[in-house]
Amino acid sequence: MNDLSVSVVVVSRHRPDHLRRCVRALEFQTQPSFEVVLVTDSETSEVLTDLVPHDWVKSAICNEANISKARNIGIGLAAGEAIAFIDDDAIAEPTWLERLIEPFSDPNVAASGGFVRGRNGISFQWRAEEIGADGVSHPISIDGTAILKARPGKGVKTQGTNCAFRRDILIELHGFDENYKFYLDESDLNMRIGQAGHLTAIVPNAEVQHGYAVSSLRGNDRRPKSLFEIGASQAYFLKKFGRPASDLTAFRESQWARLEAALVKGLLEPRDVRHLRDDLEAGIVDGHKRPPTSKPDWPIPSPFKPFLSDRQAIDHCFIASRWLSRRRAYADGKSCAERGVPCTAIILSPTAVFHQRWFHDDGFWVQSGGIFGKSSRTDRIWSWLGREKRFRRERKLLQRTR
């Protein structure tokens, strides 16, 4: 167990329901002590006491739609020696934080990142990657937790919804560059960590599930609503790291291909494509003009404020249920959550339906699907396991992160 003090920063903008679920899942972390810092817009701040008891968290307001600025505000409030970040539309597995900070037992490790599963809770949205000075990421192969030093001109990528950094390194590197309002923000930091010669750990079993909630920039189906900040951030990133104009040309072409693919799928109309291409170009012009940002003026943080200071380590409870009895399983899961017991309801139907995992609003995890259905990409299309064996199999798989 790493005895480093830890702060968890969550930035949320106009998504109180997602924030409630994110914070609720943090109640069941196996990490014995940590604090939670919430940085929200004014409207969410007004209802914050309805989402989470005030004495459990630190909070601040950032009304600007700028995740880098909001995260820097969070860094200013955080008293932990390590600071972890998770998005408001993400759910942390119970062992997430404990495993994410474990590599910091090596004093040379400055950052760590975990794996991210997508909306269905099964498929991986992000694993291990390397980021280049052209802003393009490429997968890298690792076997278990890997402590890596960035290659020249590269950075070891961490994902903004699942990463942690030493606080003193964040202060030394001036935190997040506020010219990145939501895109390439942690990639820029990854590059600077690599340039400084620090190590980054990638921890596969430190998992979160990320939902891609609706925002002013994308729809529920990830349909882009604006490409201005993507263009601006990419142009600024390339300028900052001294890249040639050909990299910007390659970026344009990749974004145009993305729009054409969305058009073919019926997600966009031709007029949307024209608008988004103009939006991208306007952003690129703006990004070229952005001057370097100044060093954030951080105050001395307030004392460490433990989240749920009376929390006790409790073994995870697994409930086996048939599909027709799911309401009873949900009631049992809710009862466990109210008693502070982490719980997963595994609900199996007599079908070959693919499995899904999610976090219930009442504070427990659910996995549902067919007895004969796939629960991972590597499964066969049909499983011949019986109900009891299937339950034991799924419980064993889930126990890797719960």
Side-chain angles (χ1 to χ4, degrees):
M1 183 74 70
N2 197 317
D3 59 1
L4 218 63
S5 60
V6 189
S7 303
V8 177
V9 173
V10 188
V11 173
S12 185
R13 183 172 174 80
H14 303 312
R15 298 197 297 220
D17 291 338
H18 287 87
L19 179 61
R20 179 191 292 111
R21 293 174 68 248
C22 176
V23 175
R24 186 70 194 278
L26 293 176
E27 294 180 28
F28 303 104
Q29 288 295 301
T30 57
Q31 175 66 21
S33 178
F34 60 96
E35 68 174 4
V36 173
V37 179
L38 306 181
V39 184
T40 71
D41 59 282
S42 295
E43 292 179 7
T44 304
S45 178
E46 290 175 0
V47 299
L48 204 56
T49 54
D50 297 329
L51 306 178
V52 56
H54 179 71
D55 58 349
W56 287 10
V57 300
K58 294 178 179 178
S59 63
I61 293 173
C62 178
N63 280 320
E64 186 178 340
N66 185 328
I67 196 168
S68 294
K69 183 174 183 178
R71 284 175 175 162
N72 283 341
I73 291 172
I75 292 169
L77 288 179
E81 296 166 274
I83 304 177
F85 296 88
I86 186 171
D87 290 350
D88 63 351
D89 58 349
I91 297 296
E93 288 288 321
T95 55
W96 166 67
L97 190 57
E98 179 182 354
R99 290 176 174 172
L100 189 65
I101 67 165
E102 183 62 32
F104 290 122
S105 59
D106 181 339
N108 297 308
V109 171
S112 69
F115 281 16
V116 180
R117 292 190 187 265
R119 189 175 296 169
N120 64 12
I122 302 291
S123 304
F124 281 108
Q125 192 178 93
W126 186 89
R127 284 185 272 195
E129 293 182 357
E130 177 184 66
I131 181 80
D134 58 357
V136 179
S137 297
H138 298 282
I140 56 176
S141 178
I142 61 173
D143 184 14
T145 295
I147 296 178
L148 307 169
K149 184 174 183 178
R151 296 188 296 155
K154 305 287 185 179
V156 179
K157 184 84 168 68
T158 60
Q159 201 69 356
T161 191
N162 185 359
C163 58
F165 307 90
R166 290 189 188 274
R167 188 179 193 278
D168 59 352
I169 297 297
L170 287 173
I171 300 300
E172 172 192 316
L173 297 178
H174 305 162
F176 291 88
D177 187 328
E178 295 178 14
N179 274 326
Y180 304 102
K181 296 187 178 180
F182 86 97
Y183 181 69
L184 292 175
D185 41 307
E186 69 274 359
S187 297
D188 174 270
L189 181 56
N190 296 150
M191 290 292 295
R192 289 183 280 131
I193 285 173
Q195 288 175 339
H198 300 303
L199 302 182
T200 297
I202 300 298
V203 191
N205 281 341
E207 285 190 11
V208 304
Q209 181 180 352
H210 187 214
Y212 277 128
V214 173
S215 73
S216 60
L217 300 169
R218 64 170 180 251
N220 191 49
D221 52 8
R222 298 189 67 185
R223 174 187 322 186
K225 297 180 181 179
S226 171
L227 293 182
F228 183 89
E229 282 303 328
I230 288 178
S233 294
Q234 183 74 28
Y236 177 75
F237 187 93
L238 296 177
K239 180 179 71 170
K240 183 173 183 177
F241 293 103
R243 298 299 296 180
S246 58
D247 284 350
L248 191 56
T249 300
F251 165 74
R252 277 193 183 95
E253 291 174 351
S254 70
Q255 290 298 312
W256 293 347
R258 173 190 175 194
L259 295 178
E260 289 172 4
L263 180 65
V264 170
K265 291 179 180 178
L267 298 177
L268 296 174
E269 298 288 339
R271 63 177 178 274
D272 298 325
V273 173
R274 289 192 295 271
H275 165 72
L276 288 168
R277 286 182 66 161
D278 290 345
D279 204 33
L280 180 71
E281 290 304 318
I284 289 172
V285 171
D286 186 83
H288 277 304
K289 296 178 180 178
R290 292 183 180 181
T293 54
S294 58
K295 175 183 176 182
D297 184 18
W298 281 305
I300 297 174
S302 56
F304 191 83
K305 187 175 187 178
F307 178 71
L308 271 177
S309 57
D310 58 347
R311 292 184 319 114
Q312 297 180 353
I314 301 174
D315 289 340
H316 202 98
C317 172
F318 290 89
I319 298 170
S321 173
R322 298 173 184 268
W323 174 254
L324 293 177
S325 303
R326 64 190 182 281
R327 291 197 178 107
R328 182 183 301 172
Y330 290 164
D332 291 343
K334 181 180 179 180
S335 175
C336 285
E338 289 172 346
R339 291 181 282 114
V341 177
C343 175
T344 298
I346 300 176
I347 300 171
L348 300 174
S349 62
T351 68
V353 170
F354 284 14
H355 287 227
Q356 290 190 332
R357 298 172 186 155
W358 73 94
F359 188 73
H360 197 282
D361 287 343
D362 288 331
F364 58 94
W365 282 263
V366 178
Q367 177 170 327
S368 67
I371 299 171
F372 314 112
K374 294 176 63 172
S375 63
S376 76
R377 291 296 184 187
T378 57
D379 279 350
R380 296 178 178 178
I381 195 69
W382 183 281
S383 169
W384 290 104
L385 294 176
R387 185 183 301 275
E388 289 302 317
K389 286 187 177 180
R390 187 61 194 261
F391 168 74
R392 289 196 297 270
R393 175 189 186 267
E394 298 309 317
R395 179 179 62 187
K396 184 177 180 179
L397 290 173
L398 290 169
Q399 283 173 331
R400 294 181 301 185
T401 56
R402 298 180 189 177

